[in-house]
Each structure stands twice: as C-alpha cells, then as structure tokens.
Amino acid sequence: MLNSMLENRYKVLKLLHQGENNQIFKALDTSTSGKVALKIETSENHSLILHEIEVLTDLYNLIGFPRILSQGKHKGRDYIILNYLGKSLHAKFLTLNSKFTLSCVLRLAEEFLYRIESLHKAGYIHNDLRPENVATGYGLNWQSLFFVGFTYATKYIDNDNKRHVLCNDIRILSSNINFSSVNVMNRINSSRRDDLESIIYILIYFYIGTLPWICNKHMSEIDIIKAKVSIVLEPLCKNYPFEFINCLRYVRGLEYDQEPDYEMFM
C-alpha cells in the first residue's frame, strides 16, 4: 500500500494506525502538497467505511468532525480521503505522564460538550467515545478537537416518523468496554445519555490517570459493570471531583429518549 497513488493525486506515505477492519495512512495530496489521511478497509468483505461516509457526509458543515475530501475503491477495498488531523488526545496524554491538570480537563469538557451537542442535534449518537477517538487539529486548526471513529455511530431519530427510536435490548457491544455506559454494557440500546456517560469516564480518566476497572486487568464484564455503578456511591465518589460525579448522577437519571440539558454541564 505504501507509495501507492490513488486517483493520480494521493500518494500513500506512512501507516498511522492498523485496526481490525481498517488501516489509516498519512498521504500526500500532490495537487496541493498538503497532508491528507487515507482510511481504507482491510478486506473486500467489509463495508463499514460506507457507513462512516454516510455519517460524515451528514456532519460535513459541523465544526470538530473530519471532512471527506474524496472516496473510492482501491483493489476492491473501500476508502475515504479525509482532512489530516493531529495525534489523538490519548497519545498526548501518555506523553504527559498519563495525567492532565484539572483546568485542562475542564477546558476539554467544554469542547467535548460542544461537539457532542452538535452531533446529537444532527441526529446521531457516536456510540464509541474513548480517548483514542478524540483527535487534535492540525495546521490552522491545531487548537481544535475533533471526534473521530464513527464505525458504530447510529441515528436516534426514526427517518419515517421523525421520532426518537424505540428502546430495545438488541445491541452489539463495541470493543469500548472501558468507556461504555452501564446501560450499553447491559445491552440496552444506546441514546444521547450514553454518549455523555462515556465523556464523563474519559474526563475522569484524564484527570485521575486511570479508572478502577482499567487498573484491574482481570475484572470480568460483570465486575466492570458493578464498578461503574458504585463509582457514584459513598465513599468511592470522594476519590473524584464532585463535578464529575454530579454529572454522572444526572446522566444516569435521564430517561432513554430524554434530551440532556447540555448547558448544565458547562
């Protein structure tokens, strides 16, 4: 794949990420001499990128989301060309001894809430929020944050009746166990409240440097659910900033189809 030329324009330079279903490369746009990102399926049998194209097309005019520059097939595999972004927040986090200051985390919280509110208002739930799926900007956008990784994103508004989709317990859990909500881990269909719960876990992780269920690699899925439930209870909650715990209690009190009060988090 390296040094391949796509569309007689995009030259593949370097592998950035090897996933289970896709690869991400740094590429050169030879017409502008600018960097771009290439995301391509690892197999001809997968069509996850087509779903991501649909989502990102709907988010095209929103700030803080990758922008599709081109799309196509290479040797039978679907690909998309995206604007180039910086490192993930998780990568930066690891370079800072795995801990951000409280003021830094609170600034991140504000950015996260702007992004997730705009995503929800566009009718989508991310479903896979984790530190690796928040990227820093690049070039003129270096101070911005971007949500990435929309493989599991779903619409929560029914296209036919324009109402919130019904709740059910038929859901395939992503690999994002550490930052998934309790409801999602219990196989309850996700909604806006679950994205917010994931964000709170991410913020606690960035501030504390870990989460109880990440520290213990031998915990079962049931044990992780119990640990997440108990994090808001005394005396465990004293280990975390009360702002995060109050937000977590609020989110867990939301009904499945209830619109969150995003301003409450600001």
Side-chain angles (χ1 to χ4, degrees):
M1 192 69 200
L2 293 179
N3 296 317
S4 297
M5 185 72 77
L6 279 66
E7 304 176 25
N8 292 318
R9 176 174 178 175
Y10 302 107
K11 184 177 181 180
V12 182
L13 301 178
K14 179 182 179 181
L15 177 65
L16 299 176
H17 173 74
Q18 175 68 60
E20 182 180 352
N21 299 313
N22 59 67
Q23 297 171 306
I24 300 176
F25 293 88
K26 177 168 70 174
L28 176 69
D29 183 346
T30 57
S31 68
T32 65
S33 298
K35 295 178 183 178
V36 295
L38 161 69
K39 188 171 186 177
I40 186 168
E41 299 279 13
T42 54
S43 168
E44 296 180 30
N45 299 322
H46 293 126
S47 59
L48 295 175
I49 278 184
L50 296 181
H51 171 68
E52 194 155 0
I53 289 172
E54 179 184 346
V55 176
L56 291 178
T57 299
D58 287 344
L59 304 178
Y60 186 80
N61 292 319
L62 299 182
I63 296 172
F65 300 93
R67 182 161 292 188
I68 297 175
L69 303 177
S70 186
Q71 63 189 77
K73 281 184 178 288
H74 177 72
K75 296 183 178 179
R77 296 184 290 162
D78 292 303
Y79 72 82
I80 46 177
I81 303 292
L82 303 163
N83 58 313
Y84 192 78
L85 299 176
K87 294 182 178 180
S88 73
L89 268 187
H90 192 245
K92 288 187 174 291
F93 174 72
L94 295 178
T95 63
L96 295 172
N97 297 318
S98 298
K99 195 169 184 180
F100 288 156
T101 64
L102 181 58
S103 61
C104 176
V105 171
L106 293 177
R107 287 197 300 272
L108 292 176
E110 188 173 6
E111 287 264 353
F112 287 178
L113 289 168
Y114 283 134
R115 297 291 177 270
I116 203 61
E117 183 178 10
S118 61
L119 178 66
H120 289 170
K121 287 187 181 302
Y124 282 97
I125 305 163
H126 190 286
N127 283 327
D128 194 23
L129 287 170
R130 62 177 91 191
E132 295 88 348
N133 280 341
V134 183
T136 55
Y138 180 80
L140 296 177
N141 295 317
W142 68 275
Q143 289 184 308
S144 299
L145 293 179
F146 291 77
F147 281 174
V148 299
F150 291 89
T151 299
Y152 295 98
T154 56
K155 284 189 174 182
Y156 68 90
I157 298 296
D158 189 290
N159 286 332
D160 295 326
N161 59 30
K162 305 304 179 185
R163 296 180 180 177
H164 200 293
V165 296
L166 297 177
C167 183
N168 59 65
D169 58 0
I170 304 173
R171 186 182 188 281
I172 299 174
L173 186 66
S174 79
S175 60
N176 185 16
I177 291 178
N178 286 329
F179 298 94
S180 291
S181 72
V182 171
N183 284 326
V184 166
M185 292 192 69
N186 281 322
R187 304 306 194 273
I188 297 173
N189 200 38
S190 60
S191 65
R192 290 168 287 187
R193 62 184 181 181
D194 301 292
D195 274 347
L196 288 169
E197 186 167 337
S198 292
I199 284 175
I200 295 168
Y201 292 143
I202 293 171
L203 295 173
I204 293 174
Y205 174 76
F206 279 152
Y207 179 61
I208 301 296
T210 188
L211 290 166
W213 46 92
I214 293 179
C215 296
N216 189 341
K217 302 293 185 182
H218 302 291
M219 291 179 73
S220 67
E221 191 171 312
I222 297 298
D223 289 334
I224 292 175
I225 292 174
K226 290 179 180 178
K228 288 182 177 181
V229 170
S230 65
I231 200 173
V232 298
L233 304 176
E234 299 283 356
L236 285 177
C237 67
K238 293 181 179 179
N239 298 325
Y240 308 100
F242 72 91
E243 297 93 341
F244 298 154
I245 299 302
N246 286 343
C247 289
L248 193 54
R249 287 171 176 156
Y250 167 76
V251 166
R252 289 184 180 172
L254 292 172
E255 297 296 329
Y256 168 72
D257 59 355
Q258 186 176 350
E259 181 178 6
D261 181 0
Y262 300 95
E263 291 187 3
M264 190 211 78
F265 292 86
M266 299 298 187

